[in-house]
Amino acid sequence: MYENIELIPGNSLITETPEQGRALAVKLARLIIKSTQPDASVREKLRGVYANDAAMLIAIGQTVAIEFATIAAANEYWKK
Amino acid sequence: MYENIELIPGNSLITETPEQGRALAVKLARLIIKSTQPDASVREKLRGVYANDAAMLIAIGQTVAIEFATIAAANEYWKK
Amino acid sequence: MYENIELIPGNSLITETPEQGRALAVKLARLIIKSTQPDASVREKLRGVYANDAAMLIAIGQTVAIEFATIAAANEYWKK
Amino acid sequence: MYENIELIPGNSLITETPEQGRALAVKLARLIIKSTQPDASVREKLRGVYANDAAMLIAIGQTVAIEFATIAAANEYWKK
Amino acid sequence: MYENIELIPGNSLITETPEQGRALAVKLARLIIKSTQPDASVREKLRGVYANDAAMLIAIGQTVAIEFATIAAANEYWKK
Amino acid sequence: MYENIELIPGNSLITETPEQGRALAVKLARLIIKSTQPDASVREKLRGVYANDAAMLIAIGQTVAIEFATIAAANEYWKK
């Protein structure tokens, strides 16, 4: 099923700003969940679970942090 | 909903000092939680949960540590 | 059993695009699970578990994020 | 509340020795917990929990390891 | 007990191919478990646990991913 | 209490071989646990817990993997 879902919007890690890079990190994390659970109704139900669970919200934060590390490095931290 | 919440204050990873970089790491981590759970009253309730749970406090520490690694690298560890 | 299962398709970390790199990250993560649990029927049963568990979906996202970091670095973030 | 608690003692990641860098990693990890749970009596109670819980001790070790990675890189591994 | 168990087969992180590097990552992860639990019969019993537990299989994947990141960097991603 | 326990044996991350570096990673991980739980009898009891728990053994593996990444980088992967 992974083949049918776009995993990286725009097929690039390069963004103009840190804010856009951060938004991309969030999207990358969500697209992995989407590719693993393609059923939108199930994902919607699970969203109700993790959005109200402190431990899961923290775990989502860890995932985004790891994705962002890669994107930030790809963009040389937007310093140039 | 992610689109409506600022994910990186100031839209930059660069800070003047390590202390400011650390504070930014904390903010980045919190803003991901905010974007995932935009309801302030729910977040306030969850704060009461994780602030009193040893395992969750440790997990928050891991998240901040990962965010800080990126920020510290972006600032070349404030050595210059 | 690890010896009998291919762990890296094509025996290379280099891909043409970020999208392909991301797909490779997903495959690497899945092949470790396959090598640890070679019984396809058990894996299929477990898929029904993790695809419906918010915490596990998040954990899968973390794993893919870590694999992707390596692949992205190997490809110099597809900037060249 | 984060604003009122010092997050990086001495406002620097640079230390003279690896041992001092390791001690700094421990402090950084603890200060995040302190800033998230500023009530010393609650933290003291939670200490009794995690200091006697194998899984939490391991998780603390992971947090310190991540903090230390950043500090070690900042100090170029104390090779100079 | 750590002293009596070889932790890195061949005492090197360098491999000829990514596939071999991946296999080494799996071995490194397993040898830490072996050194922490030297009793083969206990490890065999625990294998029956984690090989049938989705969350643990995912966690194994994370461990291997982290080990592989180091090995891949050591081999400069097998690009040379 | 952290001040009284040596956190890095020999006060250096440099080792002669990968095997020694790996052993150092194990020691660093254990010394954080020791500094957090200085009571040897409690640690001994907890050892009986984590050495027989698959999930905790995997978590220990993750911790060692993170420590080892730092040590391996410090030693430039023992390639020189």
Side-chain angles (χ1 to χ4, degrees):
Chain A
M1 87 197 77
Y2 292 100
E3 294 76 7
N4 300 329
I5 293 175
E6 183 189 50
L7 294 173
I8 300 184
N11 201 4
S12 172
L13 300 179
I14 307 306
T15 70
E16 285 186 22
T17 66
E19 181 77 20
Q20 292 175 359
R22 194 77 174 164
L24 179 58
V26 171
K27 285 179 191 158
L28 293 196
R30 295 177 73 176
L31 288 168
I32 291 300
I33 290 179
K34 184 176 181 182
S35 73
T36 310
Q37 176 46 271
D39 186 327
S41 66
V42 175
R43 288 202 308 276
E44 191 54 36
K45 190 182 66 176
L46 295 177
R47 167 174 283 276
V49 174
Y50 66 69
N52 292 283
D53 184 296
M56 291 190 204
L57 284 170
I58 297 166
I60 287 169
Q62 288 185 0
T63 308
V64 172
I66 299 168
E67 301 284 16
F68 184 64
T70 300
I71 293 167
N75 288 279
E76 295 175 44
Y77 307 102
W78 298 276
K79 287 188 293 190
K80 292 189 174 176
Chain B
M1 86 198 76
Y2 293 98
E3 293 75 8
N4 299 329
I5 293 175
E6 184 189 51
L7 295 173
I8 301 184
N11 202 3
S12 171
L13 300 180
I14 307 305
T15 69
E16 285 186 23
T17 66
E19 181 77 19
Q20 293 175 358
R22 194 77 175 165
L24 179 58
V26 171
K27 285 178 191 159
L28 293 195
R30 295 176 73 176
L31 288 169
I32 291 300
I33 290 179
K34 185 177 181 182
S35 72
T36 310
Q37 175 47 269
D39 186 327
S41 65
V42 175
R43 288 202 308 276
E44 191 54 35
K45 190 182 67 175
L46 295 177
R47 167 173 284 276
V49 174
Y50 67 68
N52 292 284
D53 184 297
M56 291 189 204
L57 284 170
I58 296 166
I60 287 169
Q62 288 185 359
T63 308
V64 172
I66 300 168
E67 300 285 15
F68 183 64
T70 300
I71 293 167
N75 288 280
E76 295 175 44
Y77 307 102
W78 298 274
K79 287 187 293 190
K80 291 187 175 178
Chain C
M1 87 197 78
Y2 292 101
E3 293 75 8
N4 299 329
I5 293 175
E6 183 189 50
L7 294 173
I8 301 183
N11 202 3
S12 172
L13 299 180
I14 307 306
T15 69
E16 285 186 21
T17 67
E19 181 77 20
Q20 292 175 0
R22 194 76 173 165
L24 179 57
V26 171
K27 284 178 192 158
L28 293 195
R30 294 176 74 176
L31 288 168
I32 291 300
I33 290 179
K34 184 176 180 183
S35 73
T36 311
Q37 177 45 270
D39 186 327
S41 65
V42 174
R43 288 201 308 275
E44 191 55 36
K45 190 182 66 176
L46 294 176
R47 167 174 283 276
V49 174
Y50 67 69
N52 292 283
D53 184 296
M56 291 189 203
L57 284 169
I58 296 166
I60 288 169
Q62 288 185 1
T63 308
V64 172
I66 300 168
E67 300 284 16
F68 184 65
T70 301
I71 293 168
N75 288 279
E76 295 175 43
Y77 308 102
W78 298 274
K79 287 188 293 192
K80 292 190 174 176
Chain D
M1 87 197 77
Y2 292 99
E3 293 75 7
N4 300 329
I5 293 175
E6 183 189 51
L7 295 173
I8 301 185
N11 201 4
S12 171
L13 301 180
I14 307 306
T15 68
E16 285 186 22
T17 66
E19 181 76 20
Q20 292 175 359
R22 193 77 174 165
L24 179 58
V26 171
K27 284 178 192 159
L28 292 195
R30 295 177 73 176
L31 287 168
I32 291 300
I33 291 179
K34 185 176 181 182
S35 72
T36 311
Q37 176 47 269
D39 186 326
S41 66
V42 175
R43 288 202 309 276
E44 191 54 36
K45 189 182 67 176
L46 295 177
R47 166 173 284 277
V49 175
Y50 66 69
N52 291 283
D53 184 297
M56 291 189 203
L57 284 170
I58 296 167
I60 288 169
Q62 288 184 0
T63 308
V64 172
I66 299 168
E67 300 285 15
F68 184 64
T70 300
I71 294 167
N75 287 279
E76 295 176 43
Y77 307 102
W78 298 274
K79 287 189 292 192
K80 290 188 175 177
Chain E
M1 90 196 78
Y2 293 100
E3 293 76 7
N4 299 328
I5 293 175
E6 183 190 50
L7 295 173
I8 300 184
N11 202 2
S12 172
L13 300 180
I14 308 306
T15 70
E16 286 186 21
T17 66
E19 181 76 20
Q20 292 174 359
R22 194 76 174 165
L24 179 57
V26 171
K27 284 179 193 158
L28 293 195
R30 295 177 72 176
L31 288 168
I32 290 301
I33 291 179
K34 184 176 180 182
S35 73
T36 310
Q37 177 46 269
D39 186 327
S41 65
V42 175
R43 289 200 310 275
E44 190 55 36
K45 189 182 67 175
L46 294 177
R47 166 173 284 275
V49 174
Y50 66 68
N52 291 283
D53 184 297
M56 290 189 204
L57 284 170
I58 296 166
I60 288 170
Q62 288 184 1
T63 309
V64 172
I66 300 167
E67 300 285 16
F68 183 65
T70 301
I71 293 168
N75 287 279
E76 295 176 43
Y77 308 103
W78 298 274
K79 288 188 293 190
K80 291 190 175 176
Chain F
M1 87 197 77
Y2 292 98
E3 293 75 8
N4 300 328
I5 293 175
E6 183 189 52
L7 294 173
I8 300 184
N11 201 3
S12 171
L13 300 180
I14 307 306
T15 69
E16 286 186 21
T17 66
E19 181 76 19
Q20 292 174 359
R22 193 77 174 165
L24 179 58
V26 171
K27 283 179 193 158
L28 292 195
R30 295 177 73 176
L31 287 169
I32 291 300
I33 291 179
K34 184 176 181 182
S35 71
T36 311
Q37 177 46 270
D39 186 326
S41 66
V42 175
R43 288 201 309 276
E44 190 55 35
K45 189 182 66 175
L46 294 177
R47 166 173 284 275
V49 174
Y50 66 69
N52 291 283
D53 184 297
M56 291 189 203
L57 284 169
I58 296 166
I60 288 169
Q62 288 185 1
T63 308
V64 172
I66 299 167
E67 300 285 16
F68 184 65
T70 301
I71 293 167
N75 288 279
E76 295 176 43
Y77 308 103
W78 298 275
K79 288 189 292 191
K80 290 187 176 178

